[in-house]
Amino acid sequence: TQWMDRNTDTFTQMGGEGATWIGQAPFTDTPHIFQNLGDGTYFHSGQLALRAAVAAGVNITYKLLYNDAVAMTGGQPIDGELRVDQLSQQIHAEGVRRIALVTDEPDKYPTRATFAPIVTFHHRRELDAVQRELREFKGVSVIIYDQTCATEKRRRRKRGKLADPQKRAFINPAVCEGCGDCSVKSNCLSVLPLETELGRKRQIDQNACNKDFSCIEGFCPSFVTVHGGSLRQPEAVGLNALFIALPEPTQPTLERPWNILLPGVGGSGVTTVGALLGMAAHIEGKGCSVLDQAGLAQKFGPVVTHIRIAAKQDDIYAVRIAAGETDLLLGCDLVVAASEEALAKLNDQIAHAVINSHEAATAEFTRNPDAQVPGAAMREALIDAVGAEKTHFVDATRLATRLLGDSIATNLFMLGYAYQKGLVPISAEALNKAIELNGVAVQLNQQAFLWGRRAAHDLAAVEKLAKPEELDEPICETLDEMIRFRVDYLTRYQDAAYAERYRALVERVNEIDPDASRSLTAAVARYYFKLLAYKDEYEVARLYSDGAFLKQLQAQFQGDYRLEFHLAPSWLAKRDPLTGEPRKRTFGPWMLKAFALLARFKSLRGTALDVFGYSAERRLERELIAEYERSIADLLTHLNPRNYRTAVAIAELPEQIRGYGHVKERAVAKVREQERQLQARLQVNELKVVQLFEPAA
């Protein structure tokens, strides 16, 4: 994950950035390279590497990230910092003859007279074009990417040190196709998977969102920005009367140091919990050591904190917990808690585990929209290492978010849960005092700790209070339910005749399907529907105006807010001169009325009066439906036990056709290649089947 699939090669010491290229350049046909360099490293010693590259006259572009923090080791302030205009002057003085400044806010420089005279200014969406230009530049060039570290922005906003823009991104899940283009554009793990009856969609984690808004650039009409208002506060917080008296747990004895291993992810407050435990132990006059292993401390990266608590400080001889010596595994993240490093610290004779069972998306999800967290296997590994009777799983992320309105409360919730189970040798009074002394979100953190205690005492009561308002999300448990749901959907989508077209093919498959699993019938039921219910202009309009969208908005936001829609209608969108892809535009709240009006004309779909139906995308969608019908009909005539699994695989191919416009076109091209491979497998069985996604001659 360190290189993030960006074709990055080699690494070097601080101050040696680009030095390897100085030696390699005369002996390779590669004319130019890019070199990444952070501002903290540049101020430390990287400027010497740049000076050496200038002296050597090599063709290299330094991509200098000016992010206002030493993000690699936890967000410390930079020593020897220069303003970005001063930085440009210094780079120019080193002999660099081409400097491009790329930023998310080009208008934040009211005067550019203080910059080096050779600097050009660009919005971050132009980064690719700038890179293509500079790779042809002879000599040393520099791209200064000026954008404050997103995690630092979030921290400063929470501490009141930076203005928090009253703007949030929201995804209409009904419109979302789950293609993942938004993650490609943003590389952000605050864009989470959302499992629905109609497949995996995406949603924004409003509590973890850094408000970078690059996800909006994803080519999809499901993105809306909410301006003003605030996140809706949960109602369960005020129901304190149900938990007036909590029994005090029996704390562990400190005949020897008590070892707590705290695995979690960066940006969620793992190190804060360690610091609070350390302060609480100090308040009680106990010995304590806290060791944070943050590694590459980027947001969502693995973080493991070693906490040792003793009766007195002299009882602690080492700060790191040795293998097999963990008394409490306080797993704030399931993936990190089940890692080899964490499991090696466990001994089933002494260890207890309190684990957040929430399956948070990993970095793989930004590259693979179908990535799954193997939660069941991870839970089994933890149970094997600790023992079922000493392992406690609780969906702390969901409960903390629902009860307190912020997922950042998860880790304090976990601490409260472990405390009430008698696994933390510090008093609740000392822990609450430590939270107070920390001075950050005091009430939220104290409430999170208290709700964790309540969950450990009576989880059923807490679950009842945290139950969200029902939003009529269907879950089909049987094949018949799945088919009925889709028939109803297609009737709303177009009309009863259109739905009957769907039902007729599914029933025909069901009559012939020879396997007891009905896998082929289920595949056709899902994916024939998916092709029939393509999201054209009429359908997108219907999904915005049918009431469900506004109900979902109201479930997340409150107050006076206005909406902006980010769309790229083919007849209006301008194309990027470099990529040729259409650019999205912003439309105001009046679009809701326009959607309601447009949705009324869905009966024109596919007729001669359908002005949208003549586009290449709409023609492709209609072709895919017809080809699928022909292919399934032909499959049924050749179906036998030997080719059953291959037939199911062919019927499931539309699962991978997602997205809009050029994103969908790329997906269709990949599916056609997969279909050719499956076709070859069928031909081995001497079957001649019409290719599913190959246009008829």
Side-chain angles (χ1 to χ4, degrees), residues 243 246-252 260 262 269 272-274 276-277 280 307 328-332 353-356 392-394 396-397 399-400 403-404 408-432 435 444-459 462:
F243 299 91
L246 283 171
E248 284 298 321
T250 301
Q251 295 181 4
I260 301 175
L262 183 61
T272 299
V273 174
L276 292 174
L277 283 166
I307 304 158
L328 169 62
L329 177 67
L330 186 57
C332 296
V354 175
I355 308 295
N356 181 7
H392 308 275
F393 293 102
V394 56
T397 299
L399 291 173
L403 293 165
L404 295 155
I408 202 69
T410 298
N411 294 349
L412 265 297
F413 182 98
M414 291 288 297
L415 179 62
Y417 193 100
Y419 172 85
Q420 194 64 27
K421 290 293 183 182
L423 299 172
V424 179
I426 300 174
S427 70
E429 182 181 0
L431 286 165
N432 279 306
I435 293 171
L444 174 70
N445 287 328
Q446 288 180 339
Q447 283 288 317
F449 178 71
L450 181 57
W451 276 108
R453 293 187 61 189
R454 291 167 174 168
H457 175 65
D458 190 347
L459 182 58
V462 172

Side-chain angles (χ1 to χ4, degrees), residues 288-594:
C288 184
S289 67
V290 180
L291 171 66
D292 297 319
Q293 292 183 307
L296 291 177
Q298 72 183 95
K299 183 183 176 187
F300 295 116
V303 176
V304 179
T305 296
H306 297 239
I307 304 158
R308 308 195 71 199
I309 302 171
K312 57 183 187 298
Q313 195 66 37
D314 292 344
D315 292 340
I316 299 176
Y317 298 101
V319 295
R320 187 188 299 271
I321 299 173
E325 293 190 1
T326 295
D327 295 292
L328 169 62
L329 177 67
L330 186 57
C332 296
D333 178 77
L334 176 62
V335 175
V336 187
S339 66
E340 291 185 8
E341 177 186 359
L343 292 175
K345 305 292 184 183
L346 302 178
N347 177 342
D348 62 2
Q349 299 300 310
I350 64 171
H352 298 74
V354 175
I355 308 295
N356 181 7
S357 62
H358 177 73
E359 298 179 8
T362 64
E364 175 66 16
F365 181 65
T366 64
R367 301 183 289 273
N368 175 13
D370 296 319
Q372 299 282 350
V373 174
M378 291 177 173
R379 288 189 290 272
E380 190 64 33
L382 288 162
I383 291 172
D384 289 344
V386 178
E389 71 284 354
K390 295 188 297 177
T391 305
H392 308 275
F393 293 102
V394 56
D395 192 347
T397 299
R398 177 179 58 82
L399 291 173
T401 303
R402 178 60 189 162
L403 293 165
L404 295 155
D406 195 334
S407 61
I408 202 69
T410 298
N411 294 349
L412 265 297
F413 182 98
M414 291 288 297
L415 179 62
Y417 193 100
Y419 172 85
Q420 194 64 27
K421 290 293 183 182
L423 299 172
V424 179
I426 300 174
S427 70
E429 182 181 0
L431 286 165
N432 279 306
K433 183 63 176 177
I435 293 171
E436 182 182 335
L437 291 173
N438 187 48
V440 178
V442 173
Q443 184 177 5
L444 174 70
N445 287 328
Q446 288 180 339
Q447 283 288 317
F449 178 71
L450 181 57
W451 276 108
R453 293 187 61 189
R454 291 167 174 168
H457 175 65
D458 190 347
L459 182 58
V462 172
E463 285 278 9
K464 185 177 180 180
L465 292 175
K467 186 177 181 181
E469 179 185 355
E470 295 295 335
L471 290 177
D472 301 324
E473 290 293 339
I475 299 294
C476 299
E477 297 180 354
T478 67
L479 180 58
D480 287 342
E481 288 179 357
M482 182 176 71
I483 295 171
R484 277 198 304 271
F485 171 75
R486 284 159 174 75
V487 167
D488 292 342
Y489 188 105
L490 290 172
T491 302
R492 298 191 301 273
Y493 176 89
Q494 183 72 11
D495 53 33
Y498 198 69
E500 187 57 34
R501 175 181 176 183
Y502 164 79
R503 189 203 302 272
L505 180 59
V506 174
E507 288 182 350
R508 181 183 172 196
V509 174
N510 191 40
E511 290 172 358
I512 299 176
D513 194 338
D515 196 86
S517 68
R518 322 306 285 174
S519 297
L520 181 60
T521 304
V524 174
R526 281 195 178 92
Y527 300 115
Y528 183 40
F529 164 83
K530 179 180 172 67
L531 294 176
L532 285 170
Y534 60 89
K535 294 185 176 71
D536 58 5
E537 289 79 356
Y538 306 110
E539 178 63 357
V540 170
R542 186 183 74 85
L543 294 174
Y544 268 113
S545 59
D546 67 355
F549 165 67
L550 290 179
K551 190 174 181 180
Q552 290 167 331
L553 268 180
Q554 291 162 5
Q556 283 207 35
F557 302 98
Q558 62 186 8
D560 184 19
Y561 56 82
R562 63 184 294 274
L563 305 178
E564 288 187 353
F565 299 85
H566 301 265
L567 311 169
S570 57
W571 65 94
L572 285 177
K574 294 182 178 179
R575 293 194 172 269
D576 185 289
L578 180 65
T579 65
E581 297 176 358
R583 286 182 174 176
K584 297 175 79 172
R585 297 178 58 183
T586 301
F587 299 84
W590 60 269
M591 276 303 299
L592 279 175
K593 293 182 179 179

